[in-house]
Amino acid sequence: RENLRVTQAMRFQAQEDGQWVSYVHGRIKSSSSVGTAAAMVHVAPLEGKQVSEDVIRETGKKLAMHVVAAKPLYLSPDTVPEEAVEKEKEILKEQMADSGKPPEILDKIINGRMRKFYEGACLTEQSHMVEEENPKVSKVLKGIGLDVKQFEVLSII
């Protein structure tokens, strides 16, 4: 890949007693930190939970691998901008405009499809691609006693 240029720089600083964990995908043979895509995740123990550094690193690495593969757009449903939610709802309403269903049924259908939207777009709602049986990311983290605070995806386009 020739003519690469830096378009963005980031500074990562862990908060509380959490840490940033990374994963680099498509590594170049002579380097452990250069590849075609990477993810950084900030994971921290849930309040009142004690989690070892090794468990935080291992869980964070698996989560970063998931982020590279799944490419979530948002951390959780709470972090999706209102305009994105409204746009998605408008698209769904337009798709069902000619269905002839009563408004209360349409609202239930739209709420169900919004859950599907969140499952695709939000990290905490996605099925974990690196864990057996693909449980929801939030369920895996809660079971370990961790929370994901932030993530970043970096890639060569």
Side-chain angles (χ1 to χ4, degrees):
R1 306 208 176 200
E2 296 179 16
N3 298 324
L4 296 178
R5 61 187 160 104
V6 176
T7 59
Q8 184 177 2
M10 295 180 207
R11 179 175 180 230
F12 299 98
Q13 184 172 350
Q15 305 294 318
E16 303 138 18
D17 47 348
Q19 60 180 278
W20 283 97
V21 184
S22 65
Y23 167 72
V24 178
H25 181 75
R27 288 196 167 132
I28 295 171
K29 290 181 183 179
S30 62
S31 173
S32 64
S33 61
V34 177
T36 57
M40 301 273 300
V41 294
H42 180 223
V43 288
L46 292 168
E47 191 171 321
K49 297 283 185 177
Q50 295 291 324
V51 182
S52 75
E53 296 278 323
D54 289 341
V55 169
I56 290 174
R57 275 193 298 276
E58 179 184 335
T59 304
K61 181 171 183 177
K62 286 181 179 180
L63 187 57
M65 290 170 77
H66 167 88
V67 167
V68 167
K71 296 175 183 63
L73 301 172
Y74 310 103
L75 181 64
S76 67
D78 297 339
T79 63
V80 179
E82 189 61 35
E83 55 271 7
V85 172
E86 291 305 316
K87 181 179 178 185
E88 189 66 24
K89 284 183 179 179
E90 283 303 314
I91 291 169
L92 294 171
K93 286 178 185 177
E94 286 175 19
Q95 289 174 349
M96 304 202 311
D98 297 332
S99 69
K101 297 186 192 285
E104 59 274 3
I105 299 297
L106 287 176
D107 287 343
K108 287 182 181 182
I109 293 170
I110 288 171
N111 286 339
R113 290 195 180 170
M114 287 304 294
R115 275 195 300 280
K116 283 289 187 192
F117 167 76
Y118 292 134
E119 287 173 4
C122 300
L123 175 59
T124 59
E125 304 306 300
Q126 291 179 331
S127 296
H128 201 308
M129 299 171 96
V130 183
E131 294 291 336
E132 282 188 39
E133 299 179 25
N134 305 103
K136 194 181 279 193
V137 167
S138 58
K139 183 177 180 180
V140 170
L141 294 175
K142 185 177 181 183
I144 296 170
L146 291 174
D147 187 23
V148 59
K149 303 290 188 181
Q150 188 179 348
F151 72 93
E152 295 291 340
V153 182
L154 310 160
S155 64
I156 295 175
I157 303 172

